[in-house]
Amino acid sequence: MLDAAIAYAAEGWRVFPLKPRRKTPLIPKEQGGRGCHDGTTDIEQIASWWGQIDDANIGLATGIESGVVVLDVDVKRGDGFASLRSLEIDVTGTLAAKTPSGGAHYFFRHPGRRIKNRAGLVDHVDLRGDGGYVVLAPSWVNDPKYPAWCGPYEWINAGAPLLPLPSVLFEEEDKAPRPAGERHEFGGEVHPIARVALEQECAKIETAANGKRNEQIFKSVAALYQ
């Protein structure tokens, strides 16, 4: 488990420990655990976690920081694959894993804009985006309450690329016209170059088309941070 967790972190995937044979975070909230927000690529932290509990399962914090969005197809209570076909998207070729119950996880490249977690995207198909997580191979689930759903997570096509997230899976954007707001001037001591950069990005946000403002805000914040 430790070797696998380190390998994922080396790819830039933010991982964190889950309870052995379970899908729930190892570190409880009362002990400072933050669930998927504990996800990290810090090798020392990862080695410390799995050094204490070497059979802890591996959780992947999905979202922009890991660069991954996952389509979670469930078959425990219905035919998620039939629902997936109704979306008319091509999942062949992208990295995929088999879940213990016979479902699947399809991994896509994060598009760089906020992607909400969406339970019930269609029947028995969920989207794991920013603030979500999935279980990674070679984790093993062994819940005595559900013996038919026990077993390992296994890669179907290890080494396959992350294909771009299909646009049909993007969060729906607010298409309503936005009211004109008051523009505030920047006060205090600001470096001239920083002031120009900030004004340019604000102008991009102000002129963004309806339905594209959130995407532009994200791009502008990322540009200013860099």
Side-chain angles (χ1 to χ4, degrees), residues 49-128:
W49 281 332
W50 272 272
Q52 297 176 55
I53 301 181
D54 60 5
D55 61 344
N57 278 342
I58 304 171
L60 165 67
T62 57
I64 191 166
E65 291 183 319
S66 290
V68 179
V69 179
V70 178
L71 199 61
D72 183 356
V73 180
D74 186 22
V75 295
K76 293 191 292 293
R77 297 178 178 85
D79 189 350
F81 289 106
S83 298
L84 178 63
R85 288 191 291 273
S86 72
L87 291 174
E88 297 184 345
I89 62 174
D90 185 7
V91 296
T92 59
T94 200
L95 183 65
K98 173 182 172 295
T99 66
S101 63
H105 289 161
Y106 295 99
F107 294 72
F108 294 94
R109 188 168 67 247
H110 196 286
R113 49 158 293 179
R114 183 168 180 250
I115 299 297
K116 292 180 180 178
N117 286 300
R118 296 177 66 183
L121 181 69
V122 289
D123 288 345
H124 315 296
V125 178
D126 300 332
L127 192 65
R128 308 296 183 190

Side-chain angles (χ1 to χ4, degrees), residues 1-13 15 40-48 50 58:
M1 290 297 186
L2 173 59
D3 289 345
I6 290 175
Y8 292 136
E11 295 294 325
W13 288 11
V15 297
T40 184
T41 58
D42 186 302
I43 302 302
E44 290 186 3
Q45 178 61 73
I46 292 169
S48 175
W50 272 272
I58 304 171

